[in-house]
Coordinates of all heavy atoms in Angstrom, one line a residue:
V1 N 39.2 -11.3 -6.7 CA 38.8 -12.6 -7.0 C 39.8 -13.7 -6.7 O 39.6 -14.8 -6.2 CB 38.5 -12.7 -8.6 CG1 38.2 -14.1 -9.0 CG2 37.3 -11.8 -8.9
G2 N 41.1 -13.3 -7.0 CA 42.2 -14.1 -6.6 C 42.3 -14.3 -5.1 O 42.6 -15.5 -4.7
Y3 N 41.9 -13.4 -4.3 CA 42.0 -13.4 -2.9 C 41.0 -14.4 -2.4 O 41.2 -15.3 -1.5 CB 41.8 -12.1 -2.2 CG 41.5 -12.2 -0.7 CD1 42.5 -12.5 0.2 CD2 40.3 -12.1 -0.2 CE1 42.3 -12.7 1.5 CE2 39.9 -12.2 1.1 CZ 41.0 -12.5 2.0 OH 40.8 -12.6 3.3
V4 N 39.8 -14.4 -3.0 CA 38.7 -15.3 -2.6 C 39.1 -16.8 -2.8 O 38.9 -17.6 -2.0 CB 37.4 -14.9 -3.4 CG1 36.4 -16.0 -3.1 CG2 36.9 -13.6 -3.0
L5 N 39.8 -17.0 -4.0 CA 40.2 -18.4 -4.3 C 41.4 -18.8 -3.4 O 41.5 -20.0 -3.2 CB 40.6 -18.4 -5.8 CG 39.5 -18.1 -6.8 CD1 40.1 -18.0 -8.3 CD2 38.4 -19.2 -6.7
S6 N 42.2 -17.8 -2.9 CA 43.3 -18.2 -2.1 C 43.2 -17.8 -0.7 O 44.2 -17.7 0.1 CB 44.6 -17.4 -2.7 OG 44.8 -17.8 -4.0
R7 N 42.0 -17.6 -0.2 CA 41.7 -17.1 1.1 C 42.4 -17.9 2.2 O 43.0 -17.5 3.1 CB 40.3 -16.9 1.4 CG 39.9 -16.4 2.8 CD 38.4 -16.3 2.9 NE 37.8 -15.4 1.9 CZ 36.5 -15.3 1.7 NH1 35.7 -15.9 2.5 NH2 36.0 -14.5 0.8
K8 N 42.3 -19.2 2.1 CA 42.9 -20.1 3.0 C 44.3 -20.0 3.1 O 44.9 -20.0 4.3 CB 42.6 -21.6 2.7 CG 43.0 -22.6 3.7 CD 42.6 -24.0 3.3 CE 43.1 -25.0 4.3 NZ 42.7 -26.4 4.0
A9 N 45.0 -19.8 2.0 CA 46.5 -19.6 2.0 C 46.9 -18.3 2.7 O 47.8 -18.3 3.5 CB 47.1 -19.7 0.6
F10 N 46.2 -17.2 2.4 CA 46.4 -15.9 3.0 C 46.2 -16.0 4.5 O 47.0 -15.4 5.3 CB 45.5 -14.9 2.4 CG 46.0 -14.3 1.1 CD1 45.3 -14.6 -0.1 CD2 47.1 -13.5 1.0 CE1 45.8 -14.1 -1.3 CE2 47.6 -13.1 -0.2 CZ 46.9 -13.3 -1.3
H11 N 45.2 -16.7 4.9 CA 44.9 -16.9 6.4 C 46.0 -17.7 7.0 O 46.5 -17.3 8.1 CB 43.6 -17.6 6.6 CG 43.3 -17.9 8.0 ND1 42.9 -17.0 8.9 CD2 43.4 -19.1 8.7 CE1 42.7 -17.5 10.1 NE2 43.0 -18.8 10.0
Q12 N 46.6 -18.7 6.4 CA 47.7 -19.5 7.0 C 49.0 -18.7 7.1 O 49.7 -18.7 8.1 CB 47.9 -20.8 6.1 CG 46.8 -21.7 6.2 CD 47.0 -22.9 5.2 OE1 47.7 -22.7 4.2 NE2 46.4 -24.0 5.4
V13 N 49.2 -17.8 6.1 CA 50.3 -16.9 6.1 C 50.2 -15.9 7.3 O 51.2 -15.7 8.0 CB 50.5 -16.1 4.8 CG1 51.6 -15.0 5.0 CG2 50.9 -17.0 3.7
G14 N 49.0 -15.4 7.5 CA 48.8 -14.5 8.6 C 49.0 -15.1 9.9 O 49.5 -14.6 10.9
Q15 N 48.5 -16.4 10.0 CA 48.6 -17.2 11.3 C 50.2 -17.4 11.6 O 50.6 -17.3 12.8 CB 48.0 -18.5 11.2 CG 46.5 -18.4 11.2 CD 45.9 -17.8 12.5 OE1 46.1 -18.4 13.5 NE2 45.2 -16.7 12.4
V16 N 51.0 -17.7 10.6 CA 52.4 -18.0 10.8 C 53.1 -16.7 11.2 O 53.9 -16.8 12.2 CB 53.0 -18.5 9.5 CG1 54.6 -18.5 9.6 CG2 52.5 -19.9 9.2
M17 N 52.8 -15.6 10.6 CA 53.5 -14.4 10.9 C 52.9 -13.7 12.2 O 53.5 -12.6 12.6 CB 53.4 -13.4 9.7 CG 54.1 -13.9 8.5 SD 55.8 -14.3 8.8 CE 56.5 -12.6 9.2
D18 N 52.0 -14.2 12.9 CA 51.4 -13.6 14.1 C 52.3 -13.9 15.3 O 52.2 -14.9 15.9 CB 50.0 -14.1 14.3 CG 49.3 -13.4 15.5 OD1 49.9 -12.5 16.1 OD2 48.2 -13.8 15.9
Y19 N 53.3 -13.0 15.5 CA 54.2 -13.2 16.6 C 53.6 -13.3 18.0 O 54.1 -13.8 18.9 CB 55.3 -12.1 16.6 CG 54.7 -10.8 16.7 CD1 54.3 -10.2 17.8 CD2 54.7 -10.0 15.5 CE1 53.8 -8.8 17.9 CE2 54.2 -8.7 15.5 CZ 53.8 -8.1 16.7 OH 53.3 -6.8 16.7
S20 N 52.3 -12.8 18.1 CA 51.7 -12.8 19.5 C 51.4 -14.2 19.9 O 51.1 -14.5 21.1 CB 50.4 -12.0 19.4 OG 49.4 -12.6 18.6
K21 N 51.3 -15.2 19.0 CA 51.0 -16.5 19.3 C 52.1 -17.2 20.1 O 51.9 -18.2 20.8 CB 50.8 -17.4 18.0 CG 49.5 -17.1 17.3 CD 49.3 -18.0 16.1 CE 47.9 -17.7 15.5 NZ 46.9 -18.0 16.4
H22 N 53.4 -16.6 20.1 CA 54.5 -17.2 20.8 C 54.6 -16.6 22.2 O 55.6 -16.9 22.8 CB 55.8 -17.0 20.0 CG 55.7 -17.7 18.6 ND1 55.9 -19.0 18.5 CD2 55.4 -17.2 17.4 CE1 55.8 -19.4 17.2 NE2 55.5 -18.3 16.5
G23 N 53.7 -15.7 22.6 CA 53.8 -15.2 23.9 C 54.7 -14.0 24.1 O 54.9 -13.2 23.1
G24 N 55.2 -13.7 25.2 CA 56.0 -12.5 25.5 C 57.4 -12.7 25.5 O 58.0 -13.8 25.2
A25 N 58.1 -11.7 26.0 CA 59.6 -11.8 26.1 C 59.9 -12.1 27.6 O 59.3 -11.4 28.5 CB 60.2 -10.4 25.7
V26 N 60.8 -12.9 27.8 CA 61.2 -13.4 29.1 C 62.5 -12.8 29.5 O 63.5 -12.8 28.7 CB 61.3 -15.0 29.1 CG1 61.6 -15.4 30.6 CG2 60.1 -15.7 28.5
L27 N 62.6 -12.3 30.7 CA 63.9 -11.7 31.3 C 64.6 -12.8 31.9 O 64.4 -13.1 33.1 CB 63.6 -10.6 32.2 CG 64.8 -9.7 32.6 CD1 65.4 -9.1 31.3 CD2 64.3 -8.5 33.5
L28 N 65.5 -13.5 31.2 CA 66.2 -14.7 31.7 C 67.4 -14.2 32.5 O 68.1 -13.2 32.1 CB 66.8 -15.5 30.6 CG 65.7 -16.3 29.8 CD1 66.3 -17.1 28.7 CD2 64.8 -17.2 30.8
G29 N 67.7 -14.8 33.6 CA 68.9 -14.6 34.5 C 68.5 -13.9 35.8 O 69.3 -13.6 36.6
L30 N 67.2 -13.9 36.0 CA 66.6 -13.4 37.3 C 66.3 -14.6 38.2 O 66.1 -15.8 37.7 CB 65.4 -12.5 37.1 CG 65.6 -11.2 36.3 CD1 64.4 -10.5 36.3 CD2 66.7 -10.3 37.0
K31 N 66.1 -14.3 39.4 CA 65.8 -15.4 40.4 C 64.2 -15.7 40.4 O 63.8 -16.4 41.3 CB 66.2 -15.0 41.8 CG 67.8 -15.0 41.9 CD 68.2 -14.7 43.3 CE 68.0 -13.3 43.8 NZ 68.6 -13.0 45.1
G32 N 63.5 -15.2 39.4 CA 62.1 -15.5 39.3 C 61.7 -15.3 37.8 O 62.5 -14.7 37.1
A33 N 60.6 -15.8 37.5 CA 60.1 -15.6 36.1 C 59.5 -14.3 35.8 O 58.5 -14.0 36.5 CB 59.1 -16.8 35.8
V34 N 60.0 -13.6 34.9 CA 59.5 -12.2 34.6 C 59.2 -12.2 33.1 O 60.1 -12.5 32.3 CB 60.5 -11.1 35.0 CG1 59.9 -9.8 34.5 CG2 60.8 -11.1 36.5
I35 N 57.9 -12.0 32.7 CA 57.6 -12.0 31.3 C 56.9 -10.7 31.0 O 55.9 -10.3 31.5 CB 56.6 -13.2 31.0 CG1 57.3 -14.5 31.4 CG2 56.1 -13.2 29.6 CD1 57.2 -15.0 32.8
K36 N 57.3 -10.1 29.9 CA 56.8 -8.8 29.3 C 56.3 -9.1 27.9 O 56.9 -9.6 27.1 CB 57.9 -7.8 29.3 CG 57.6 -6.5 28.5 CD 56.6 -5.6 29.1 CE 56.5 -4.3 28.3 NZ 55.8 -4.5 27.0
T37 N 55.0 -8.7 27.7 CA 54.4 -8.8 26.4 C 54.2 -7.4 25.9 O 54.3 -6.5 26.6 CB 53.1 -9.6 26.5 OG1 52.7 -10.1 25.2 CG2 52.0 -8.8 27.2
H38 N 53.8 -7.4 24.6 CA 53.5 -6.1 23.8 C 52.5 -5.2 24.5 O 51.5 -5.7 25.1 CB 53.1 -6.5 22.4 CG 54.2 -6.9 21.5 ND1 55.0 -6.1 20.8 CD2 54.6 -8.1 21.2 CE1 55.8 -6.7 20.1 NE2 55.6 -8.0 20.3
G39 N 52.9 -3.9 24.5 CA 51.9 -3.0 25.1 C 50.6 -3.0 24.4 O 49.6 -2.6 25.0
S40 N 50.5 -3.3 23.2 CA 49.3 -3.3 22.4 C 48.5 -4.7 22.6 O 47.5 -4.8 21.8 CB 49.6 -3.1 20.9 OG 50.4 -4.1 20.4
S41 N 49.0 -5.5 23.4 CA 48.4 -6.9 23.6 C 46.9 -6.8 23.9 O 46.5 -6.0 24.6 CB 49.1 -7.7 24.6 OG 50.5 -7.9 24.2
K42 N 46.2 -7.8 23.3 CA 44.8 -7.9 23.7 C 44.6 -9.3 24.3 O 45.5 -10.0 24.6 CB 43.9 -7.8 22.4 CG 43.9 -6.3 21.8 CD 42.8 -6.2 20.8 CE 42.8 -4.6 20.4 NZ 41.7 -4.4 19.4
A43 N 43.3 -9.7 24.6 CA 43.0 -10.8 25.4 C 43.7 -12.1 24.9 O 44.3 -12.8 25.7 CB 41.5 -10.9 25.5
E44 N 43.6 -12.3 23.6 CA 44.2 -13.6 23.1 C 45.7 -13.6 23.3 O 46.2 -14.7 23.6 CB 43.8 -13.7 21.6 CG 44.1 -15.1 21.0 CD 43.3 -16.2 21.7 OE1 42.2 -16.0 22.1 OE2 43.9 -17.3 21.8
T45 N 46.3 -12.5 23.1 CA 47.8 -12.5 23.3 C 48.1 -12.7 24.8 O 49.1 -13.5 25.1 CB 48.4 -11.1 22.9 OG1 48.1 -10.9 21.5 CG2 49.9 -11.2 23.1
V46 N 47.4 -12.2 25.7 CA 47.6 -12.4 27.1 C 47.4 -13.9 27.4 O 48.2 -14.5 28.2 CB 46.5 -11.5 27.9 CG1 46.6 -11.9 29.4 CG2 46.8 -10.1 27.8
R47 N 46.4 -14.5 26.8 CA 46.2 -15.9 27.1 C 47.3 -16.7 26.6 O 47.7 -17.7 27.2 CB 44.9 -16.3 26.4 CG 44.4 -17.8 26.7 CD 44.8 -18.7 25.5 NE 44.5 -20.0 25.8 CZ 45.3 -21.1 25.5 NH1 46.5 -20.8 25.1 NH2 44.9 -22.3 25.7

């Protein structure tokens, strides 16, 4: 019942902690842009 009443807040927490929204890891120091993302990435993370 508490979850139903606080669903919006829980959703917002989940959105903040979703590291996939920030993209992948960049290998800085190379002569080209190289970006590695999580092996478990799905379409939204790729986007």
Side-chain angles (χ1 to χ4, degrees):
V1 173
Y3 169 73
V4 171
L5 296 175
S6 305
R7 182 179 300 173
K8 183 177 180 180
F10 279 110
H11 176 72
Q12 290 173 340
V13 170
Q15 291 294 303
V16 170
M17 294 305 296
D18 184 3
Y19 52 80
S20 67
K21 290 184 174 295
H22 297 280
V26 186
L27 193 57
L28 292 180
L30 297 180
K31 292 185 287 187
V34 176
I35 298 86
K36 165 71 174 68
T37 195
H38 284 273
S40 60
S41 294
K42 293 193 175 181
E44 190 62 33
T45 303
V46 173
R47 186 261 179 225

